[in-house]
Amino acid sequence: MAGGTKRLPRAVREQQMLDAAVKVFAANGFPETSMDAIAAEAKISKPMLYLYYGSKEELFSACIARESAKFIDAMSVGFNPALHQREQARTVVREFLRFVHENAESWRVLYRVAVGTASFSDLVRQSRRRVIEMVADLIKQGTTVEGATDVDFEITAVALVGAAEAVGDRISEGDISLETATDLLVGIVWRGLRGVGVHDDAPAGA
């Protein structure tokens, strides 16, 4: 570091390195990203980067862990068990898509780069499982249908999260606005939620 430059606390320096790494990984993918490029983006020397993160794999794992935690935190905002089920559905969808809209690079790292890199895909699946469990619990809290089972809530959450991921990709590329995507997805989700716990097992015409 140049003389006179203020020494940053370790935690702040680590976050700056992770910020730089997320940006470069999102732009180039894992195989094509070099520690040199990340160090240059972070405006530090490569030896300093290696001092904090001993390998590119270790640095990428740290990125996934931080961005997954941010995603989980974002999904936890504003939930109220007293809300009507449709408003609960809108909250789930809005916070999911808002995160993607405001954190496009984070989204690309988690759901494109990491998922497409075999050695890291399990980390993303674990994060996705936590989101699905959270959404299933929220749906359960807002459902008054008798006979609905935990399997009903889980499968509905899987479908909701899967749809939100697909729409999230469009948002991250700027193909659709946040509000338009939210309205469209809430409409689809709500039609599905009204059927939670309702099984059409009766013969036709019964």
Side-chain angles (χ1 to χ4, degrees):
M1 296 176 63
T5 301
K6 184 178 180 180
R7 184 180 295 277
L8 295 172
R10 180 181 179 88
V12 174
R13 176 64 71 190
E14 287 176 344
Q15 294 308 308
Q16 288 186 344
M17 292 178 188
L18 291 175
D19 289 343
V22 167
K23 183 174 182 178
V24 179
F25 282 129
N28 302 328
F30 181 78
E32 301 303 320
T33 291
S34 68
M35 294 292 269
D36 290 283
I38 294 171
E41 180 65 32
K43 297 180 173 58
I44 60 171
S45 67
K46 187 165 72 169
M48 178 177 284
L49 183 60
Y50 274 110
L51 180 64
Y52 281 75
Y53 300 99
S55 66
K56 187 171 75 169
E57 289 76 13
E58 182 181 332
L59 176 55
F60 191 55
S61 293
C63 289
I64 294 174
R66 190 188 73 166
E67 302 313 299
S68 294
K70 286 168 57 178
F71 187 27
I72 296 295
D73 286 345
M75 288 292 293
S76 303
V77 172
F79 293 128
N80 180 354
L83 288 176
H84 183 272
Q85 190 181 20
R86 180 159 190 156
E87 290 308 308
Q88 193 72 276
R90 174 169 285 277
T91 301
V92 171
V93 170
R94 185 184 64 242
E95 296 307 323
F96 192 114
L97 298 182
R98 188 200 303 278
F99 177 86
V100 179
H101 178 68
E102 296 177 353
N103 302 273
E105 290 174 342
S106 177
W107 175 260
R108 293 189 189 104
V109 165
L110 288 173
Y111 283 88
R112 291 189 187 177
V113 181
V115 167
T117 307
S119 55
F120 297 102
S121 58
D122 280 347
L123 294 176
V124 178
R125 280 195 287 269
Q126 291 170 17
S127 173
R128 189 174 189 269
R129 169 50 54 186
R130 289 197 298 273
V131 172
I132 289 172
E133 290 172 352
M134 179 187 299
V135 171
D137 186 56
L138 291 166
I139 295 171
K140 184 175 183 177
Q141 291 179 32
T143 297
T144 58
V145 176
E146 293 184 6
T149 68
D150 287 343
V151 172
D152 292 316
F153 299 125
E154 180 184 3
I155 296 304
T156 302
V158 168
L160 192 160
V161 171
E165 288 172 353
V167 175
D169 260 350
R170 300 292 297 274
I171 289 178
S172 72
E173 294 300 323
D175 293 338
I176 186 172
S177 72
L178 175 61
E179 290 307 316
T180 298
T182 299
D183 290 342
L184 288 172
L185 194 51
V186 167
I188 295 170
V189 167
W190 176 239
R191 286 192 289 273
L193 288 179
R194 286 187 299 179
V196 171
V198 178
H199 301 282
D200 188 12
D201 297 327

